[in-house]
Amino acid sequence: MGRLFGTDGARGIAGSELTADLAMKIGASAAYVLGENKKIKVIVGMDTRYSGDMLASAVNAGLLSMGANVIFVGVVPTPAVSFLVTHLNADMGVMISASHNPAKYNGIKLFNNKGYKLADEIEEKIEHYILDEKLPECTNIGSFERNEKLKDKYIDFLYSLANDYSGLKVVVDCANGSASATAPILFEKLNIDAEIIFDNPDGININDNCGSTHLNSLISKVKETCADLGIAYDGDADRCLLVSDNGEVIDGDYILAICGKDLKEKGKLNNNAVVGTVMSNLGLKKFCESENINFVDTKVGDRYVLEEMLDKDYVIGGEQSGHVIFKEYANTGDGELTSLMALNILSEKKCKLSELVSIMNKYPQVLVNVNVTKEGKTSFGDDAEINALIKKYEDELNGDGRILIRASGTENLIRVMIEGKDTDEIDKMAGDIADLINKKYGI
């Protein structure tokens, strides 16, 4: 069956790949591995997908069958589960979500008692009991509590970090996902003129031409209403992208530059470093050099960014996709928190977001996704013909750009990313490499 957990939990098409039976086994095995033969308290939340109730019920049944006491908090952002784990002194958290993926997908993300995503070795132990070894019988069945009002504690926490935003006008895109349950309440409490869009989930419209992966509607609304900025969350609200007052997309790299510089100016950039990934734009690295800030990169995945932050005591890190971690306040990427940090800077500096982003010059970047077979996903890296083409184009870039080819951690995709100064040149290079991968391993 292969590895169940990718870079962000177990994920697949709900009902066929991610079944109720598998979800129950994940719940039971996780309770056994993390419980270590004692009764544990588990916080469980979900996003707005139609399959959420089925999978949450199955996970809850698995947890209960191994003696765990479950508190089900309903529809909440992923970072709310992490927050509530620590706030309620729970032993574990579970989020039912496939993040930015379409509605037919779903996933299961697991958190430890500190609100951190589980380390790879712990997930491997859980997989062992799902795939290889039968769990021991447990007669000490756990208890179940449903409390959807607990999300208010998370909203109050976010509110406590906000400045006075009077005079600012924003448009907030909830992606018809988890943020629909929290952002409208939060922004109503804030002293800000906010228009909320895509906050009417129906089970199938999550991420559907909205949210951080589909920004056209938000860009149009920002321009139409002359807003100061637009804010876009993904399906489970652990990501945030921004749209400036002139309609420019502000991704995670820009956010890291703006917030990293602000932290340094305030003397709060611990160990003088910003953490990104190998996918971070060259422009962010050049910016950090110009500001005498150390740039540290990791493997793709916010869990690896956080591991580096914890290991070296860095305070800010994230991904181009909008996963940004502010370690002083949260143990995982938090879209709503990120948007408040950006709003705080705008309110303090009394300037436009378009002015703030001018501090960084982003290199043109082309990203092409290639759908491949499961076998191709693991074997393409050893292909001599593909490697020869990559080497040829790397030589042509001559150090003034880069090529990164990697397998997706959550889907059967190969991502071809090229950066350089000439958009037409890198677009052709990416297309050639993607075509060759598709010819040999595509579906």
Side-chain angles (χ1 to χ4, degrees):
M1 183 175 182
R3 183 169 162 79
L4 297 175
F5 293 96
T7 56
D8 200 16
R11 195 173 296 188
I13 297 174
S16 58
E17 297 173 343
L18 187 58
T19 63
D21 180 62
L22 177 56
M24 186 166 66
K25 288 178 179 177
I26 290 174
S29 300
Y32 180 73
V33 170
L34 273 74
E36 297 179 340
N37 299 315
K38 68 177 185 294
K39 189 173 283 288
I40 60 173
K41 178 162 65 175
V42 184
I43 308 298
V44 179
M46 68 181 192
D47 68 19
T48 59
R49 294 162 206 274
Y50 63 89
S51 59
D53 288 327
M54 174 191 77
L55 293 172
S57 297
V59 167
N60 290 338
L63 291 165
L64 294 166
S65 72
M66 293 306 295
N69 295 328
V70 174
I71 301 176
F72 180 59
V73 296
V75 173
V76 293
T78 289
V81 170
S82 173
F83 169 82
L84 289 170
V85 165
T86 57
H87 183 81
L88 299 176
N89 295 314
D91 302 283
M92 177 183 163
V94 182
M95 180 66 183
I96 312 298
S97 174
S99 190
H100 61 286
N101 290 148
K104 68 178 182 178
Y105 293 91
N106 217 324
I108 300 173
K109 306 181 186 184
L110 304 176
F111 296 87
N112 67 15
N113 63 341
K114 297 184 184 300
Y116 300 131
K117 290 179 181 177
L118 293 188
D120 289 343
E121 57 267 26
I122 302 299
E123 289 184 339
E124 287 168 3
K125 288 182 181 179
I126 294 170
E127 286 184 358
H128 171 72
Y129 285 103
I130 297 171
L131 303 175
D132 303 318
E133 184 175 341
K134 186 177 179 180
L135 288 169
E137 290 186 2
C138 176
T139 57
N140 188 18
I141 297 172
S143 64
F144 178 83
E145 173 188 352
R146 187 183 186 109
N147 189 344
E148 298 187 21
K149 291 184 178 181
L150 285 172
K151 71 175 183 289
D152 294 339
K153 295 184 180 295
Y154 171 68
I155 295 170
D156 290 343
F157 159 71
L158 293 174
Y159 178 73
S160 72
L161 301 177
N163 288 351
D164 180 358
Y165 303 143
S166 56
L168 286 175
K169 183 175 184 178
V170 299
V171 181
V172 182
D173 181 347
C174 295
N176 289 318
S178 291
S180 303
T182 54
I185 301 171
L186 172 64
F187 280 87
E188 185 176 0
K189 289 165 65 84
L190 296 171
N191 187 21
I192 193 169
D193 180 0
E195 180 174 351
I196 312 294
I197 62 175
F198 297 113
D199 62 330
N200 293 296
D202 62 9
I204 60 175
N205 62 1
I206 185 171
N207 301 315
D208 185 12
N209 289 314
C210 58
S212 63
T213 51
H214 303 280
L215 292 168
N216 287 341
S217 294
L218 179 61
I219 292 169
S220 297
K221 183 64 71 171
V222 167
K223 291 180 176 180
E224 173 190 323
T225 61
C226 298
D228 293 291
L229 75 156
I231 298 167
Y233 305 122
D234 67 334
D236 65 336
D238 63 351
R239 299 185 187 192
C240 170
L241 295 185
L242 305 175
V243 172
S244 74
D245 48 288
N246 61 12
E248 182 181 2
V249 174
I250 311 304
D251 64 16
D253 288 340
Y254 278 114
I255 293 170
L256 287 173
I258 293 167
C259 294
K261 180 178 173 64
D262 183 69
L263 287 168
K264 181 165 184 174
E265 290 173 349
K266 293 175 178 175
K268 295 182 178 180
L269 189 63
N270 202 39
N271 289 321
N272 193 41
V274 168
V275 183
T277 76
V278 294
M279 290 290 284
S280 298
N281 192 273
L282 276 175
L284 176 59
K285 299 178 183 180
K286 299 286 188 183
F287 163 79
C288 288
E289 289 175 7
S290 69
E291 295 291 329
N292 293 314
I293 294 172
N294 298 318
F295 179 79
V296 180
D297 64 10
T298 72
K299 293 189 295 184
V300 173
D302 61 320
R303 67 167 60 204
Y304 303 117
V305 172
L306 180 60
E307 285 174 4
E308 185 70 18
M309 292 172 68
L310 293 172
D311 184 52
K312 303 296 194 323
D313 197 23
Y314 301 135
V315 294
I316 185 171
E319 299 184 284
Q320 192 178 76
S321 61
H323 278 127
V324 181
I325 302 169
F326 294 89
K327 190 164 68 68
E328 181 181 356
Y329 306 115
N331 295 333
T332 190
D334 188 326
E336 289 171 276
L337 172 61
T338 299
S339 61
L340 293 185
M341 295 297 102
L343 283 168
N344 284 350
I345 295 172
L346 281 180
S347 66
E348 291 166 3
K349 294 188 178 295
K350 307 295 183 185
C351 67
K352 297 288 188 180
L353 183 57
S354 55
E355 297 173 49
L356 284 181
V357 300
S358 65
I359 63 175
M360 186 183 105
N361 293 316
K362 188 174 180 180
Y363 273 58
Q365 184 182 83
V366 174
L367 177 64
V368 181
N369 292 325
V370 185
N371 290 292
V372 296
T373 62
K374 287 185 178 180
E375 296 75 20
K377 182 177 175 179
T378 57
S379 60
F380 82 97
D382 297 322
D383 189 291
E385 187 179 2
I386 292 173
N387 288 330
L389 183 59
I390 294 170
K391 177 66 165 56
K392 174 179 179 292
Y393 286 150
E394 284 177 335
D395 291 343
E396 290 182 15
L397 288 170
N398 194 29
D400 208 7
R402 64 183 182 127
I403 299 174
L404 180 65
I405 317 294
R406 57 175 288 270
S408 167
T410 57
E411 302 169 83
N412 288 328
L413 294 175
I414 301 300
R415 306 193 191 281
V416 179
M417 190 278 286
I418 304 184
E419 289 175 345
K421 290 187 174 180
D422 187 324
T423 303
D424 291 338
E425 178 185 40
I426 62 175
D427 190 57
K428 179 182 183 304
M429 290 177 175
D432 289 348
I433 295 172
D435 287 345
L436 183 57
I437 293 173
N438 183 60
K439 176 183 176 182
K440 304 192 80 170
Y441 300 104
I443 54 174

